[in-house]
Amino acid sequence: MTEHDEHKVEKEEHDESLMDKISEKLHFSNHSSSPEPALSSSDSDDEKKKPTSPAPATSSFGSKVRRLFGRERPVHKVFGGGKPADVFLWRNKKISAGFLGGATAIWVLFEVVEYHLLTLLCHGLMIALAGLFLWSNASTFIHKSAPHIPEVHIPEKPVLEFASALRNEINRALAVLRAIASGRDLKMFLLVIGGLWLASILGGCCDFLTLFYIIVVVLHTVPVLYEKYEDQVDAFAEKALHELKKQYAVLDAKVLSKIPRGPLKDKKKD
């Protein structure tokens, strides 16, 4: 081997060793200067030290419990979501308490004290008219301004809206009664008959005013309690409805299926 070849081989070996040293230095500098692993480890340690925040409470509609009567909206929306819903669910406690207290006072006045409506209206008007009449005539002697009696009139638009809404509800009730009387839905027929029978029993036990007061009290107590304990109530109601469906299936198989029903379709005219 010539000297030139030996010199060439030594140069190549020197270059390779130099490249290895440079690559090792670069690898070491990158490993020591890169902050990402350190930061990631410190971040993970900090995350472990931080207290875990509680998971957001899932709404009652995200649970697996089936809502009563297949309800898919909150109780507030079921009652319309307006001022009546706020009153029934005690969103404004002063208004709800005032409404319930007024209904209680009316019931006590007419049922306990046995005051009559016509007598109450006449006595109230007599006291109001006599007070305003005396005040108007005595204002010139006592040097005070006469009472301001506002002009009271019933606006036309709310009356028409109320009459229209009442007409729609009456027509809907008549359509439901017609569908039930046609003999096509036995289950709905039994439910309506049971409801009317229960209403007749309540009507025999108390008069209309007492029944109306009971409804007012129920509307001001049951919805707010149900909204507070809806998960427990819905779970219990689901079990009760499942048991009722089983009993109804037995009753349908043994009794109701043997009762002749009306025609499902009207006969076609020739």
Side-chain angles (χ1 to χ4, degrees), residues 191-259:
L191 289 175
V192 171
I193 292 298
L196 293 174
W197 176 70
L198 182 61
S200 65
I201 293 176
L202 292 176
C205 297
C206 57
D207 57 0
F208 179 75
L209 183 60
T210 303
L211 182 61
F212 179 76
Y213 176 67
I214 292 173
I215 293 173
V216 171
V217 173
V218 168
L219 286 176
H220 280 80
T221 54
V222 173
V224 66
L225 291 175
Y226 172 71
E227 188 182 35
K228 188 176 181 180
Y229 303 102
E230 60 178 340
D231 291 335
Q232 295 87 339
V233 174
D234 288 339
F236 177 78
E238 185 178 3
K239 295 179 182 178
L241 287 175
H242 181 68
E243 187 65 25
L244 285 176
K245 287 180 180 179
K246 289 172 60 177
Q247 298 299 327
Y248 177 78
V250 175
L251 180 64
D252 186 35
K254 293 183 178 180
V255 180
L256 299 180
S257 60
K258 300 179 182 179
I259 299 176

Side-chain angles (χ1 to χ4, degrees), residues 41 50 212:
S41 61
K50 289 181 181 179
F212 179 76

Side-chain angles (χ1 to χ4, degrees), residues 16-248:
E16 288 179 359
S17 61
L18 183 62
M19 291 297 296
D20 292 336
K21 290 179 180 179
I22 292 172
S23 63
E24 288 177 1
K25 288 182 179 180
L26 289 174
H27 180 71
F28 177 77
S29 62
N30 290 333
H31 180 72
S32 60
S33 63
S34 61
E36 293 180 358
L39 287 176
S40 62
S41 61
S42 62
D43 291 340
S44 62
D45 294 335
D46 292 338
E47 289 178 359
K48 290 180 181 180
K49 292 179 181 179
K50 289 181 181 179
T52 57
S53 59
T58 57
S59 62
S60 59
F61 289 90
S63 59
K64 296 182 179 180
V65 180
R66 295 179 60 185
R67 295 302 170 195
L68 195 61
F69 304 115
R71 178 174 59 88
E72 296 180 355
R73 298 181 298 171
V75 181
H76 191 267
K77 295 294 183 181
V78 172
F79 281 95
K83 291 183 178 180
D86 294 338
V87 173
F88 293 145
L89 297 175
W90 293 76
R91 295 292 191 266
N92 192 331
K93 295 182 179 180
K94 292 182 179 180
I95 297 177
S96 300
F99 194 88
L100 185 59
T104 303
I106 292 173
W107 179 77
V108 170
L109 190 63
F110 289 111
E111 291 297 324
V112 180
V113 184
E114 296 183 353
Y115 215 67
H116 298 287
L117 179 62
L118 183 59
T119 306
L120 178 64
L121 291 176
C122 291
H123 287 176
L125 288 174
M126 288 168 58
I127 294 172
L129 290 174
L132 291 173
F133 180 80
L134 293 174
W135 188 2
S136 299
N137 287 280
S139 60
T140 56
F141 299 101
I142 61 178
H143 303 288
K144 289 187 177 182
S145 61
H148 175 68
I149 304 174
E151 295 183 1
V152 180
H153 64 279
I154 300 175
E156 182 180 3
K157 186 177 179 180
V159 175
L160 294 177
E161 291 178 353
F162 175 77
S164 178
L166 182 62
R167 181 182 63 86
N168 293 333
E169 293 299 328
I170 292 175
N171 289 336
R172 187 180 302 174
L174 292 176
V176 171
L177 292 176
R178 182 180 181 276
I180 293 171
S182 63
R184 298 178 181 178
D185 194 344
L186 181 60
K187 184 178 180 180
M188 182 61 67
F189 171 76
L190 293 176
L191 289 175
V192 171
I193 292 298
L196 293 174
W197 176 70
L198 182 61
S200 65
I201 293 176
L202 292 176
C205 297
C206 57
D207 57 0
F208 179 75
L209 183 60
T210 303
L211 182 61
F212 179 76
Y213 176 67
I214 292 173
I215 293 173
V216 171
V217 173
V218 168
L219 286 176
H220 280 80
T221 54
V222 173
V224 66
L225 291 175
Y226 172 71
E227 188 182 35
K228 188 176 181 180
Y229 303 102
E230 60 178 340
D231 291 335
Q232 295 87 339
V233 174
D234 288 339
F236 177 78
E238 185 178 3
K239 295 179 182 178
L241 287 175
H242 181 68
E243 187 65 25
L244 285 176
K245 287 180 180 179
K246 289 172 60 177
Q247 298 299 327
Y248 177 78

